[in-house]
DNA sequence: GATTATAGCGCG
DNA sequence: AAAGCGCGCTATAATC
């Protein structure tokens, strides 16, 4: 049963009704020509195709369908309502527009409309929780026919070349949107006093606005002395570069790695200055003032914000929290964090993607890189790691290039898969993830450069630039299939974990006025890592749920293929203490 | 004076 | 050591 949120309110429709000819026909519906059986009712989905399948505690099997989770769900959460399942039509449209398996469907071929340009509402959009319960709070988007779009998307999935994976992808993406809204609602516990103490220990007390903290001023003075440049402002890159040149340092740029190759008394204080200045500008007192309220940091997640399907964030830099300030993330009294991250996620995903049984076998233990060493393919764990990362990213130099032939011989299926993705990209064609998310194709500039490189008046320079652009796009598509499929694994992990956390027996706690934040709940997600905030007593059950969810994610993507996804899990009171 | 571009570095 | 992929954010420079 779909609960479709239209501008007139919520309306319940069965999948069969959605697959039938729409009453207000503005032309033939693509769904009309489909046999009814091709549009599976939501209730008939095998649980393994649906990571947020209804659980024992869900009211029925309702799946909300709405234009934009960000626009609709936060107000439900404020009203104390938790939604079990959703179909986010904005996200669904983005995926189906570019999914190669749905290339010939109406959703993919129709001219652009308002759905294509619909920007997600900010999670922190509505300033007031004071909004009337059913005024949805934010300005209405342009006219959108929600029922029609849902019909078209369901029909597109059903008539696509691979309905099962695409259906899972849309369900997982939408579940991700629910998680993002819930994490924003609950917030990441953040102790401003601890953060302040960390900063003070590193740079001295908070200075007046615009002034440097004492430690930074000391380091700046040491830099000026070492370079004999008494008025140097080390924050000015051109000035710093000139001063380094004048002092005779052979550096091309002012970057840290280049400085570290030079032996000169200015290097230690300058590198330390840059480290602390960076921390202070990105996550100093200003950040604290702007982003932490009432003991919580509320990240603005952007689900599907990266082309590969990874999440992005806007504002606050939630996906770049430096390790040095993670000590300020402290659980509430009586509560703890369960911090879990997936070990070597991307190579494991590649093993599953390419059905490489040898690589899967190397990943049988907790450490895939050590497993590779144990096969005898390479001598050290470091070589295994650098070699695998090189294969995923398209590295062509150094150790990565050296060990590449040996790894390629040991794991031919995995290496052939990424090579194939690179070749496809170099031809300017799209690749796709395991569940069917399509990559963008290169723009007109890229194609023009390719064409001109073979023209009559092509110079050497034109040709080498074109070759470089070709290879760069190949590296992008090579990585896309792995990074994108890893993102899909992570979405399934999140969706499964979210359902399992809700199903945990919590005694009387869940009767509390805040249905989400008074029980174990997700508070942070970082590509292959999650944090659950939980009453300490329930931590062991949460650890079990996190592991079970990882196993389920592996099965959802790769069925019975024997690739495992081990986690490293710790239970801590401060994020900074996690391994 | 307001904008866009770049270098550099934080995260995976 | 970075490199080879994907991001966001800041301060400063460059440009309008």
């Amino acid at each position: 049963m779909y609960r479709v949120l239209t501008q007139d309110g919520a309306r319940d429709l069965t999948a069969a009704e959605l697959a039938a000819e729409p009453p207000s026909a503005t032309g033939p519906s693509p769904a009309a020509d489909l046999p009814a059986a091709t549009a599976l009712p939501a209730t008939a989905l095998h649980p393994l195709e649906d990571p947020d399948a209804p659980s024992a505690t869900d009211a029925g099997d309702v799946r909300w369908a709405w234009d934009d989770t960000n626009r609709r769900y936060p107000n439900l959460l404020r009203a104390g309502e938790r939604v079990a399942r959703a179909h986010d039509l904005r996200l669904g449209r983005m995926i189906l527009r570019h999914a190669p398996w749905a290339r010939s469907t109406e959703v993919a071929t129709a001219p652009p409309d308002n759905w294509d340009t619909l920007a997600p509402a900010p999670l922190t959009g509505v300033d007031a929780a004071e909004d009337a319960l059913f005024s949805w709070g934010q300005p209405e988007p342009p006219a959108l026919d929600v029922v029609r779009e849902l019909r078209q998307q369901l029909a597109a999935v059903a008539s696509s070349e691979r309905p099962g994976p695409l259906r899972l992808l849309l369900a997982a993406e939408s579940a991700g949107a629910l998680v993002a809204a819930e994490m924003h609602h609950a917030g990441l516990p953040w102790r401003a006093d601890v953060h302040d103490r960390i900063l003070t220990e590193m740079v001295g007390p908070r200075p007046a606005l615009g002034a440097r903290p004492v430690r930074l001023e000391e380091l700046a003075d040491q830099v000026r002395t070492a370079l004999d440049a008494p008025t140097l402002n080390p924050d000015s890159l051109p000035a710093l570069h000139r001063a380094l040149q004048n002092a005779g340092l052979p550096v091309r740029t002012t970057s840290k790695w280049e400085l570290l190759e030079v032996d000169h008394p200015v290097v230690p204080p300058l590198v330390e200055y840059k480290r602390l200045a960076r921390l202070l500008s990105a996550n100093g007192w200003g950040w604290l003032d702007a982003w932490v309220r009432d003991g919580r940091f509320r990240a603005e997640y952007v689900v599907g914000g990266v082309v590969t399907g990874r999440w992005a964030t806007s504002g606050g830099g939630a996906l770049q929290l430096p390790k040095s300030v993670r000590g300020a993330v402290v659980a509430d009294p009586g509560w703890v964090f369960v911090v879990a991250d997936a070990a070597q996620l991307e190579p494991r995903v590649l093993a599953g993607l390419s059905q490489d049984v040898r690589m899967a076998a190397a990943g049988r233990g907790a450490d895939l890189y050590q497993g590779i060493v144990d096969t005898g393919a390479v001598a050290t764990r470091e070589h295994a790691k650098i070699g695998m990362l090189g294969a995923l990213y398209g590295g062509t130099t150094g150790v990565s290039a050296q060990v590449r032939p040996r790894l390629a011989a040991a794991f031919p299926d995995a290496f052939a898969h990424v090579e194939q993705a690179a070749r496809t990209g170099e031809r300017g064609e799209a690749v796709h993830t395991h569940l069917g998310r399509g990559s963008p194709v290169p723009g007109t500039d890229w194609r023009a450069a390719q064409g001109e490189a073979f023209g009559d008046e092509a110079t050497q320079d034109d040709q080498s630039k074109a070759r470089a652009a070709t290879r760069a796009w190949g590296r992008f598509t090579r990585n896309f299939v792995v990074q994108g499929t890893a993102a899909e694994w992570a979405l399934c992990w999140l969706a499964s974990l979210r359902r399992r956390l809700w199903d945990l027996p919590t005694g009387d706690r869940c009767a509390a006025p805040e249905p989400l934040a008074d029980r174990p709940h997700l508070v942070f997600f970082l590509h292959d890592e999650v944090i659950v905030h939980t009453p300490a007593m329930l931590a062991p059950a949460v650890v079990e749920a996190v592991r079970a969810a990882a196993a389920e994610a592996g099965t959802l993507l790769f069925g019975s293929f024997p690739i495992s996804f081990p986690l490293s899990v710790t239970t801590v009171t401060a994020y900074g203490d996690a391994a």
Side-chain angles (χ1 to χ4, degrees), chain A residues 358-413:
Chain A
R358 299 178 186 85
M359 183 162 286
R364 198 177 303 275
D367 185 352
L368 179 137
Y369 298 135
Q370 188 56 50
I372 289 175
V373 174
D374 294 342
T375 67
V378 295
T380 67
R381 186 181 185 281
E382 202 53 24
H383 282 190
K385 182 175 179 176
I386 292 172
M388 280 310 300
L389 291 177
L392 302 180
Y393 295 155
T396 56
T397 60
V399 170
S400 142
Q402 267 173 9
V403 301
R404 174 87 148 259
R406 296 184 58 85
L407 288 171
F411 307 107
D413 297 327

Side-chain angles (χ1 to χ4, degrees), chain A residues 144-166:
Chain A
L144 296 169
D145 188 337
V146 175
V147 176
R148 180 171 189 274
E149 179 66 14
L150 177 59
R151 281 184 202 283
Q152 289 210 345
Q153 291 192 14
L154 294 178
V157 170
S159 66
S160 72
E161 293 168 42
R162 302 285 307 279
L166 281 179

